[in-house]
Amino acid sequence: MGHDLDDAGLPEVTREPAEAVEAYLRGFLDAIDLPESLLDAIRYALLDGGKRLRPVLAWWSSAAAGGPGEASVPAGAALELIHAFSLVHDDLPAMDDDDLRRGRPTLHRHAGEAMAILAGDAMTVLAFRVLSDGCPSPDLSRALIAELAGASCGMIGGQVFDTLGGFSDEKPAADRLETIHRSKTGALIRAACRMGCICGCSAQGRIDDALVASLTRFGEAIGLMFQIIDDLLDVEQTCEQVGKATGKDARAGKLTYPVLFGVAASRERVKELEHEALGSIEDLGPGADPLRELCRYLARRNR
Ligand code: IPE
Ligand code: IPE
Ligand code: MG
Ligand code: MG
Ligand code: MG
């Protein structure tokens, strides 16, 4: 499948949304009254790095709903704040204990553990401030806050199971694994699609429930797929390629797709999920083509 990819291997459709969200976040942080040291730590973890996939998905989900991509920018910024918080805390010594993120030292390595914890705390709160202050209507604000709160709880719950376990003894390993991945990573990706769709619908004055349902199924399939690929990258890629330590999951005793099923079966599962995701939006018109392209890219990404 041919793709128009930039230097970092990202499809061209990611460029405009990623730049818009980066600019929005930069301006938002410049206007916040917090200690400069904390703002510097937040900028370090949040800006100039990352694929920005959640805002990109929100933008094209808004477009698929017939709205402007720009309408999704506050939602995308809020998603990226929660995502960056999740990465900063995921990397802490008490969690995955990682030294490298996005090709540079993790925040706790750069600014110390206390600052990393506090920056994560602040980014969580700021995500909701973006949505309370940055939406064109109170109804939209309320809907997006509910979506993001639910998804953030899902992500945190997934991190609990991933890090500390706690499943009932009867739950088979395959079910545990799917639950972890659908929550720790899938929840925010699903929310990105739903929130974008809600922004696009709202810009036209009505919520199309069938469309939200289609994009929810799309987001669920690509969300699980995203973490399976992340597991595969840990096994198959170099640290230089992905900008974070690789070969760690098995050593750390993580339950992952390649650990439980092997690489070949994990690749098969990715193909099934790609098919499922594309099927869930097959009735949408050409407005959903960027989502189709992103789905194909996400099934093949190597960073
Ligand atoms: C990494 O997410 C953590 C997971 C949820 C798998 P990304 O691969 O989206 O990380 P960045 O934002 O591009 O660094
Ligand atoms: C992370 O999963 C999920 C999060 C909520 C951050 P991983 O622990 O596999 O993510 P990486 O590999 O460190 O980016
Ligand atoms: Mg982790
Ligand atoms: Mg990790
Ligand atoms: Mg990983």
Side-chain angles (χ1 to χ4, degrees):
M1 180 79 50
H3 287 288
D4 184 9
L5 301 177
D6 76 359
D7 293 347
L10 291 164
E12 170 61 21
V13 293
T14 62
R15 196 179 42 80
E16 191 184 3
E19 286 176 6
V21 163
E22 183 84 11
Y24 185 96
L25 285 169
R26 226 173 258 288
F28 173 75
L29 290 179
D30 285 347
I32 291 288
D33 184 21
L34 279 174
E36 212 40 55
S37 57
L38 179 61
L39 286 168
D40 282 346
I42 292 171
R43 289 189 185 99
Y44 181 90
L46 184 67
L47 304 176
D48 291 325
K51 298 178 288 292
R52 305 281 184 239
L53 284 170
R54 293 148 194 84
V56 168
L57 286 165
W59 178 289
W60 292 115
S61 297
S62 175
E70 289 82 358
S72 73
V73 169
L79 282 156
E80 202 61 18
L81 278 157
I82 296 289
H83 172 58
F85 133 62
S86 82
L87 297 180
V88 168
H89 283 191
D90 180 74
D91 290 334
L92 285 170
M95 302 276 287
D96 290 351
D97 193 10
D98 271 305
D99 295 336
L100 196 71
R101 171 69 64 186
R102 296 176 171 172
R104 53 193 183 215
T106 46
L107 183 58
H108 67 274
R109 281 283 171 186
H110 171 76
E113 225 176 298
M115 186 58 89
I117 292 169
L118 292 164
D121 294 345
M123 286 192 279
T124 313
V125 177
L126 292 175
F128 291 96
R129 183 133 168 218
V130 165
L131 296 179
S132 69
D133 298 356
C135 290
S137 80
D139 282 351
L140 180 59
S141 185
R142 204 173 309 120
L144 295 178
I145 286 171
E147 290 289 334
L148 191 64
S152 302
C153 287
M155 180 275 288
I156 293 166
Q159 289 286 71
V160 170
F161 286 123
D162 175 278
T163 309
L164 302 167
F167 288 113
S168 86
D169 289 345
E170 292 89 70
K171 197 170 171 86
D175 292 356
R176 296 181 189 204
L177 177 57
E178 189 168 323
T179 300
I180 291 170
H181 282 28
R182 284 192 186 277
S183 31
K184 76 170 182 176
T185 298
L188 280 185
I189 290 178
R190 172 183 188 270
C193 297
R194 286 176 59 87
M195 289 167 75
C197 182
I198 291 167
C199 292
C201 288
S202 163
Q204 300 168 92
R206 71 181 189 99
I207 301 291
D208 179 339
D209 291 327
L211 189 59
V212 177
S214 295
L215 286 177
T216 302
R217 287 201 304 281
F218 177 77
E220 286 172 354
I222 62 170
L224 176 56
M225 185 176 88
F226 192 84
Q227 185 60 45
I228 299 176
I229 295 275
D230 185 80
D231 291 351
L232 284 162
L233 296 179
D234 180 81
V235 175
E236 295 184 322
Q237 286 294 344
T238 62
C239 165
E240 290 71 32
Q241 170 70 15
V242 294
K244 58 188 184 184
T246 52
K248 274 202 63 183
D249 288 340
R251 215 165 50 238
K254 294 284 183 186
L255 187 56
T256 71
Y257 273 75
V259 162
L260 195 61
F261 299 114
V263 165
S266 302
R267 287 268 164 219
E268 265 318 297
R269 186 74 181 113
V270 165
K271 269 197 210 143
E272 284 169 18
L273 288 163
E274 179 189 12
H275 185 74
E276 186 181 321
L278 291 171
S280 67
I281 55 169
E282 75 188 344
D283 292 342
L284 308 192
D289 282 347
L291 291 179
R292 297 183 180 103
E293 186 182 349
L294 285 165
C295 175
R296 292 189 195 101
Y297 156 75
L298 291 174
R300 289 162 187 79
R301 71 191 173 101
N302 58 15
R303 67 173 278 252

